Amino acid sequence: MKVVTTIADLRAELAAARSEGKTVGLVPTMGALHAGHASLVERSVAENDLTVVSIFLNPTQFNDQTDLEKYPRTLEADCALLEQVGAQLAFAPSVAEMYPKPDTRSFSYPPTDSVMEGAFRPGHFNGVCQIVSKLFAMVEPDRAYFGEKDFQQIAVIRRMVDDLGFGLTIVPCPVIREESGLARSSRNTLLTDAERATAANIYQALADSRALVGSHSVAEVHDYVVNRINAVPGLEVQYYSIVDGRTLADVATWQESDDIVGCITVYCGSQPIRLIDHIRYK
Ligand code: AMP
């Protein structure tokens, strides 16, 4: 696998591949790679001639400086993992390479980017759109792979792709979980073993709540999840929203949509670490 750090080198590698008629898959990441990222890369490798994985801890999507500072950085191990799963090219640019000047563009795709993570992390999706639009313009992939782990992010990026007319396919990939059910996340490495065990209650509550759908209202299922997680010492729900899976607007009844998803953010432990997850009801 080749590792490039400049846009010029990235373009040169891609031009060579394109001249041979190769298809290109892009997997954008912020590094600290784990089995969740690997599943996206494996899918891209299976579906494209050349897979580019970007590793870039994008400062513009962090509204909390401390979160950015404590984010794990493991470039060497990341490259070893990418090599193992068959990626052909890693793009690991510096902040100056990606943002030679401050990015003043603003993106607005309500309600997808204004609710949930958008409400609690102001500016987060604007930063996501800034970096993903740059990567799409630089790589011009045929397909781009995103994890449903960041369920809201996919809805926002789909709106951006429609808005800006990028000629590519967004490929959503299922959440990879630890054995306990906890969604794999780079931030999980910041949890102690005890906190990690506690955090497994999040998905267990979400999974169990699916059995209530036939007999309970949306509001009752909402309260069941929130109360069950908040009853666990060390966990505190920031929000739980039961929404239409495409628009991300709240639903009040199960009949309102044929695509209904519950999205949650929970604070875990004493630092605390912010964990997100979701469950599909319909
Ligand atoms: P990140 O490095 O956290 O920005 O994630 C890069 C990509 O990997 C995003 O599309 C994430 O949704 C995806 N991803 C992260 N964790 C998982 C997981 N547990 N399962 C599937 N995809 C994931």
Side-chain angles (χ1 to χ4, degrees), residues 177-183 188 190-206 225-237 264-275 277:
R177 299 182 176 279
E178 298 186 359
E179 222 169 285
S180 68
L182 176 65
N188 290 358
L190 304 172
L191 298 170
T192 64
D193 287 347
E195 288 168 344
R196 209 180 256 239
T198 300
N201 284 280
I202 301 167
Y203 183 64
Q204 283 157 14
L206 291 174
V225 168
V226 172
N227 293 336
R228 189 165 142 189
I229 294 175
N230 280 341
V232 179
L235 296 183
E236 192 189 337
V237 175
I264 197 158
T265 289
V266 179
Y267 281 111
C268 178
S270 50
Q271 299 193 50
I273 302 301
R274 203 170 171 275
L275 300 172
D277 205 346

Side-chain angles (χ1 to χ4, degrees), residues 195-218:
E195 288 168 344
R196 209 180 256 239
T198 300
N201 284 280
I202 301 167
Y203 183 64
Q204 283 157 14
L206 291 174
D208 289 349
S209 75
R210 294 180 71 172
L212 305 179
V213 169
S215 53
H216 292 71
S217 68
V218 169

